[in-house]
Amino acid sequence: MRFWLNVFNASVYKSAVHPDSLQQFFRHTLTEVLTYNPLLKVSDAIHMQKEWSFTRTCLLLTTLYRKLFVAFSAKESIRQLQQVLETHEVNWQHVLSCVSTLAVCQAEAEQLFKDLLSHLLVKAFENYDMENMITAFLIARQAALEGPAVFMPYSEWFKASFGNAGGHHGSSKKALVFLFEFLSELVPFEAAPYLKVHIMYPPFVPAKYRSILLEYITLAKTRLADLKVAIEDMGLYEDLSSTDESVQPQAQALRDVEKALHIFENTRKIPTSVIEASIFRRPYYISWFLPALLRPRVLPRTPDVCMAFIDSLKRADKIPSNLYSTYVQACHAMKEKMLQDESKAETSHSKEPVEQLEAELAALRMLIVDQAKYEDVPAQIAVISDRLESVLGHSSDENEAATLNSPIQVDISAPRLEPCQQSVVDLLLTSFCQNLIAASYFNPPDRQGPCLSLFVKMMCGHKNLLPALLGRLCQLIYHQGPSLNNAHILGLAAFVIHLSESRALIPEVEANFGISQPVPKKVLSVSEYWNFLLVCRTEESFAFCLRFCTAAACYLMCKFPAYSHEDLCALLPPSLVKKLQYIVPRLCLEARGILREEGNTDLIWSSVSCPSLNYKRASLCLWKQARFQELLKEKAFQLSFREWLLLELEVYPEKDILSASERQDFHYWAIYQWYLPAPSASGGCDGDLEKACGVIINTILDFSQRLDLGSCGQSKTSVSPDILCKLQEMVLELRCRRKPLSGCVDAQRHFLFEILQDRLKDRKHGSALGEQLWRQQELLLHRRILVGLPASALIVTCRKGKKTMLDCEDFFRFVNSELKNVCSRGYALSYDITAHFFRGLLNASLDCEESAEGVNDVLRACQTKCPIVLFSAALWWPRLEPVLCSQWKRLFGAPLAEELERLREWQSSATSFLSSGVVFPLSGPPWISAAFLHCTVQQQSPHGRERNALKRLGSDKEQLLVSLLFFSLMDLVSAKIAPKEGVDFQMSLEWSLEILQCLEERGTSWPLLFHSAEKDPRKYCVLRSAASDHHVRLLPLAFYSLTPRFHQALLTREQTFLFVALDLYLQLLRLFVEGKDLPQSDHAGQSADPAEHGDPLEVISTARRFLLGAIPRCPAQSFGNIQPLLAACEELDPELGATLLHSARPAAAMELDEELVLF
């Protein structure tokens, strides 16, 4: 039978027959085939065209078509097909099988068919011609049957053609009626999938013609009902682009369950589509979805995703009790034997299709190595696609339209693949690599034809294969890369290039990095995906990354030598080029200089494909290529300074491929010779040292904030010492280069604090909690950066007249607005930044004519502008004093500066006062003396002498006592929110109560301490301004921990007490209602009374009881200023609000009487 086909071998005739005569003969033959025996009606074609796809068509017929097409270009073939359709009655089976063959075997056919379909639709709507309409629909459906790698899904074509107002049907009402008349005439013959497409993606219809659409939808639903397919039984994730009529509700429900489980596994939330179905599509949900979900099985010992999903639905009352009980009983009844039987059945079922796929892949390899058989490759790939669909089974009907818009989930840290999925992907990847190696043995890449491109495009057309494919590539490249051999690396690198060719068919990738924290996943394009798989951290990973990226770039340049510069840029993933820009100069000294460019691409292919290859030599050979150097000039491919730093920060120094000295040389070249002088347009710093410092600081902070993706969430604990060292050098150079400018505050901004402040401005996070955690982590990192820089960098020198002054305004501002908020003690900075500032102050004072005077001026300014610095000195003075005294002696060899000496005297006075009973002198602001006294009390072991010491304080020490109370309350809060700091809650509470009792005995007014700075800008505001915002917000908790010492006299003596107590109670309630800030109670190892340990709920109850008891006993004058609080009180605690109103009425009456007396 096949022998007569040799008549149509164009090569047989060669010069014996004129080409025009040969074309005329072939054209006549094609026409005869297409018009032979035209007995089938259009209705038959609509119903049967699925059976006429390329793989289901008789091999003799498809072979004939392919031999005839040799004489024509794809454009001429389609023009001939169009001419036959316009002038003859045709055999629809032959026409549509011809369409399939053209679509499969001609790479450019897709766009040509789109053009033909547009032409047919234009003619149809111009003349209201049903024949052109039916021809267009049949061709679109037939081409779509060959899969998305060949032609767009039918649902996409229908939406693109009729889904918007610009469609051909939107020009007039007559055109609209024509379209729906045509669709209505098709209804009796339509298959269910096409009707579903028309219903779910209906043509665009203006509102005034809505009734036309509704009539059609009613007709289509009636047809679906005749087919026993209810639109209500449509799946939650049904594939509307599939033409498989055999999909029943049971099968669709199984797919819906699989998709829902996948979403639940990644979000841990019940999918919205399931919730909606349980409410709005209850018949489908109860009759199909739940039975598919609750299929009896042997339950695993450790609950899996399915069990967790079922449990979530049960807790949400989305599973009827009787259905759930039946499911549980059926699961208990099934034994392990049944599970084993099912496993065996599944294995035997899948064995045959896999063997068929293997056989077809082997046949493809025989074609690829023979250049004369390249024309048979597209047909063989179509056969492989059909076998692959059989292997993948029901999953091949996944929703194409939804999949195109849904990212592919890949767990980078531990990609999970089912064994059957992995075996199929490995089979395909192995076939690709073998084909590449075999073809390269005979021909260089540019003479291997489009075989490998078509193979990869076919794989991308199977959407349900892509998750397993990308997951397996993650396993091979990210996890196993260094262990791969040269053939594997070359094959995978070429595969990545061909994937880039087909990137339009690949959805985005949602990369999950295996991190337990609730952080958003990264959604990446397939080009960006490789950046996360190719890491450079150790000697092995550096070598692999260099080999892989070199192989990929070399293959691209050798495969497509005729491509224009723009086409190459479009194909090459930028991440691969950037990795090469990073690694090649790092490993090859020659690449750091000016290179002699070469243009011979044959050389670079031989350098990577040779069995005894040297990848350093191969990469350098590539680096010297003129075309590659041209690529590096493109902005998309340029490795910026920031990107270089991020890559360098990823390196593990102890496992680096470079030695410490080699790495130091590389850093010097990269920073000072490459990026610092380079223009900003190419990722450099324009020669601006300050700009370079800013890039380094921002990158270090971004890197530290960013979770270490490669370590599954375990971030690095320290910044690269080499990079930090370079930053220190640059900051010192900046300081040495700048001479003090005239003017002190505004003349010279401090660039370090400007960088840090800018990072904290205008930041919007997904949630308040996320923002709070980010900000806290960011400030801790800021502190680490500042402590890592030269201490004198915190301070700026400036000229005031003829005198050099020290300017700490920027540091003070940063501490007051930001840094104080990461103080676990509330009123004092950590030791590291405190000591760093004082050391920097002493170093910077060397620039002053009078060093001691410069230090004194700064410390005096601290008293009003940044008191927390002095409070910090009080807390850390035992550790700080020897450091500062030793430094002062080294630098100046003179007595301490006056203000430093005063700090030492404050400490000495506090120690003497507590130990020997001498009078406590009061010099300077009382809150500083109080800070030293309080910190000395905390540092000494409790001897029971504190109470007596408080009594010995003179009557002029009232402000000092109130300040002492403030510091003790700060420690009370610290004990709750930072117990690891070593502050004991019970001891702090007892100390606070002792101070309060002493204040009460003296009749001292202390509630003013709790007035916010905005409401009462008086003497204690300096204390509140120095405290962290978190501690200030928790002052209500500390205040109501003191209720045991609130006496009756306090209510009558302090008219503002009721206002303060109510205000703090309302703040406490708001904190509780908002669920923020309040520390969690922890009673482990504590006494039975929660109030003694500051339990928030117990403190709120205590505060409420106190207020309900105190309000009736308050004098009338106490109610005069509570009016602003009444509304909030009635909202948050109606009972307390009613008590206030009831008690306030006599006060109002008394005020009225007083007013009457006045008149």
Side-chain angles (χ1 to χ4, degrees), residues 307-362:
M307 292 174 68
F309 182 48
I310 292 170
D311 185 58
S312 295
L313 287 175
K314 185 72 173 66
R315 283 187 277 108
D317 292 328
K318 297 298 179 185
I319 302 179
S321 300
N322 59 337
L323 202 58
Y324 183 75
S325 300
T326 304
Y327 164 70
V328 172
Q329 291 168 7
C331 288
H332 285 312
M334 293 187 69
K335 300 301 178 182
E336 196 168 334
K337 182 177 180 300
M338 183 177 180
L339 184 64
Q340 292 172 349
D341 292 342
E342 287 179 354
S343 176
K344 290 177 183 176
E346 183 180 349
T347 304
S348 62
H349 176 73
S350 60
K351 183 177 179 182
E352 186 181 348
V354 171
E355 288 180 346
Q356 291 177 357
L357 178 61
E358 287 178 347
E360 299 300 344
L361 289 170

Side-chain angles (χ1 to χ4, degrees), residues 24 399 413 533 984:
Q24 188 176 356
N399 187 345
S413 63
L533 301 190
D984 185 85

Side-chain angles (χ1 to χ4, degrees), residues 559-828:
K559 178 71 176 176
F560 308 107
Y563 271 30
S564 67
H565 178 74
E566 291 73 21
D567 291 337
L568 280 181
C569 291
L571 272 185
L572 188 56
S575 55
L576 301 186
V577 183
K578 290 182 178 183
K579 296 286 184 185
L580 285 171
Q581 284 184 81
Y582 171 62
I583 302 173
V584 175
R586 202 176 196 274
L587 304 187
C588 305
L589 289 175
E590 190 177 344
R592 301 179 195 174
I594 299 174
L595 295 173
R596 176 177 56 82
E597 294 182 355
E598 299 173 354
N600 185 5
T601 54
D602 292 339
L603 184 62
I604 63 170
W605 179 245
S606 62
S607 67
V608 294
S609 59
C610 176
S612 59
L613 56 86
N614 180 314
Y615 266 92
K616 276 192 182 181
R617 189 169 68 247
S619 61
L620 197 57
C621 182
L622 169 69
W623 191 262
K624 293 178 179 180
Q625 289 294 310
R627 292 196 79 187
F628 186 77
Q629 287 297 318
E630 285 298 315
L631 289 174
L632 297 185
K633 295 175 184 177
E634 290 294 325
K635 189 170 183 61
F637 293 140
Q638 288 170 351
L639 184 72
S640 68
F641 186 31
R642 181 180 184 279
E643 290 170 327
W644 178 88
L645 284 166
L646 283 172
L647 289 169
E648 197 60 37
L649 289 169
E650 290 270 4
V651 177
Y652 299 142
E654 67 281 3
K655 297 180 180 179
D656 192 3
I657 196 169
L658 299 180
S659 66
S661 58
E662 288 172 334
R663 187 168 57 250
Q664 189 175 13
D665 292 342
F666 173 61
H667 287 176
Y668 183 86
W669 170 83
I671 293 174
Y672 288 106
Q673 293 180 239
W674 186 254
Y675 284 110
L676 183 58
S680 55
S682 61
C685 302
D686 296 314
D688 187 339
L689 199 60
E690 188 175 301
K691 183 176 183 179
C693 288
V695 173
I696 295 176
I697 291 171
N698 277 311
T699 307
I700 289 175
L701 290 171
D702 287 340
F703 177 80
S704 301
Q705 273 281 9
R706 189 178 71 177
L707 293 163
D708 185 11
L709 307 178
S711 299
C712 303
Q714 299 183 9
S715 56
K716 282 185 164 185
T717 55
S718 61
V719 174
S720 164
D722 300 305
I723 298 299
L724 192 58
C725 180
K726 286 292 177 285
L727 177 62
Q728 291 167 344
E729 289 176 12
M730 296 163 82
V731 169
L732 270 178
E733 183 180 341
L734 275 173
R735 179 172 175 77
C736 294
R737 223 169 54 184
R738 287 177 170 166
K739 294 184 178 179
L741 301 179
S742 60
C744 239
V745 179
D746 298 325
Q748 189 174 7
R749 60 186 173 79
H750 199 307
F751 81 97
L752 279 176
F753 296 110
E754 184 179 33
I755 292 168
L756 300 181
Q757 290 279 17
D758 284 345
R759 288 181 60 86
L760 299 169
K761 288 178 184 173
D762 304 324
R763 225 194 92 83
K764 292 182 180 178
H765 203 280
S767 66
L769 177 62
E771 170 64 21
Q772 181 184 344
L773 293 173
W774 178 88
R775 199 175 189 85
Q776 185 178 31
Q777 177 70 8
E778 180 78 3
L779 288 171
L780 290 172
L781 294 170
H782 287 191
R783 192 177 74 192
R784 279 175 55 193
I785 289 287
L786 292 174
V787 170
L789 294 177
S792 56
L794 302 181
I795 298 159
V796 173
T797 55
C798 56
R799 300 286 297 178
K800 193 171 184 180
K802 295 184 178 180
K803 192 175 180 182
T804 302
M805 307 286 290
L806 301 180
D807 177 12
C808 301
E809 291 294 325
D810 288 315
F811 177 74
F812 290 166
R813 225 176 348 257
F814 187 67
V815 168
N816 288 330
S817 63
E818 306 297 348
L819 213 52
K820 70 174 184 179
N821 292 319
V822 285
C823 304
S824 54
R825 291 297 286 267
Y827 58 86

Side-chain angles (χ1 to χ4, degrees), residues 58 97 214 219 232 398 403 437 486 636 695 731 924 931 939 972 983:
C58 170
S97 60
L214 295 177
L219 183 63
E232 293 78 12
E398 286 289 334
T403 305
I437 299 300
N486 292 333
V695 173
V731 169
Q939 289 154 6
L972 200 64
V983 181

Side-chain angles (χ1 to χ4, degrees), residues 269-315:
K269 294 179 182 177
I270 300 174
T272 306
S273 54
V274 175
I275 297 289
E276 291 174 349
S278 70
I279 301 170
F280 303 112
R281 300 185 55 201
R282 196 158 181 81
Y284 173 78
Y285 179 77
I286 296 294
S287 302
W288 301 112
F289 183 80
L290 285 183
L293 175 65
L294 302 176
R295 287 178 299 161
R297 64 187 181 118
V298 177
L299 298 177
R301 291 183 180 179
T302 304
D304 60 3
V305 175
C306 185
M307 292 174 68
F309 182 48
I310 292 170
D311 185 58
S312 295
L313 287 175
K314 185 72 173 66
R315 283 187 277 108

